[in-house]
Amino acid sequence: MARTTLQSDVTITTTNAIVTGLSFPVLAGRTYRFKILADVTVGATADGVLINCDGPALTRLNYSTRSPLTTTTEQFTHGNNAWKNAGTSVTPGTTSPATVLCAQHVVEGTVTPSVDGTVAAWAVVEAGPTGTPAVKAGSTVEYHLVK
């Protein structure tokens, strides 16, 4: 299993965007399993954050996300090829860390690209965040070739 570790904080904005540095390379026609562990800080407990993933042209992308809602509850969501580059179609507020200012989001899945490229974590915060929401340095993505 290989691992990539985020070297510096990446600010999260209201536009769904790549978390630069939290990614891994993929080859066309190969299938990979991955797990993204994104440590996220927000400026206020009402700032909802969504962490998802994307890659190059894909034959298959299936993943599940686990996002904190409170200190004791989580929300699970699922993504697939239809959500590729469309994380903003999911309201970030629905995955708001309502009483958590620093929390870990988990994205696990399987991807098969149809071209060589990079699979990366993406992030978006709801409109009007307080402070500077960020994916923190030390967040990781682990991945391995399945076939």
Side-chain angles (χ1 to χ4, degrees), residues 60-77:
R60 176 175 126 185
L61 172 62
N62 294 301
Y63 63 92
S64 297
T65 63
R66 224 171 57 220
S67 303
L69 292 175
T70 70
T71 56
T72 59
T73 60
E74 301 175 312
Q75 176 172 313
F76 291 89
T77 55

Side-chain angles (χ1 to χ4, degrees), residues 61-147:
L61 172 62
N62 294 301
Y63 63 92
S64 297
T65 63
R66 224 171 57 220
S67 303
L69 292 175
T70 70
T71 56
T72 59
T73 60
E74 301 175 312
Q75 176 172 313
F76 291 89
T77 55
H78 303 282
N80 56 42
N81 285 24
W83 288 11
K84 180 177 165 359
N85 267 335
T88 52
S89 67
V90 178
T91 304
T94 63
T95 58
S96 173
T99 60
V100 184
L101 291 176
C102 182
Q104 186 173 75
H105 293 247
V106 180
V107 182
E108 294 183 83
T110 305
V111 62
T112 306
S114 55
V115 297
D116 295 355
T118 302
V119 170
W122 285 59
V124 62
V125 67
E126 64 189 341
T130 306
T132 308
V135 177
K136 303 301 284 181
S139 295
T140 61
V141 58
E142 297 174 343
Y143 60 96
H144 68 273
L145 180 64
V146 174
K147 63 177 186 167

Side-chain angles (χ1 to χ4, degrees), residues 24-69:
F24 62 97
V26 292
L27 298 174
R30 303 285 182 102
T31 299
Y32 300 84
R33 296 260 323 135
F34 64 89
K35 182 175 187 176
I36 298 167
L37 300 173
D39 294 327
V40 174
T41 58
V42 294
T45 56
D47 291 343
V49 171
L50 173 68
I51 303 294
N52 58 359
C53 64
D54 192 18
L58 300 168
T59 301
R60 176 175 126 185
L61 172 62
N62 294 301
Y63 63 92
S64 297
T65 63
R66 224 171 57 220
S67 303
L69 292 175

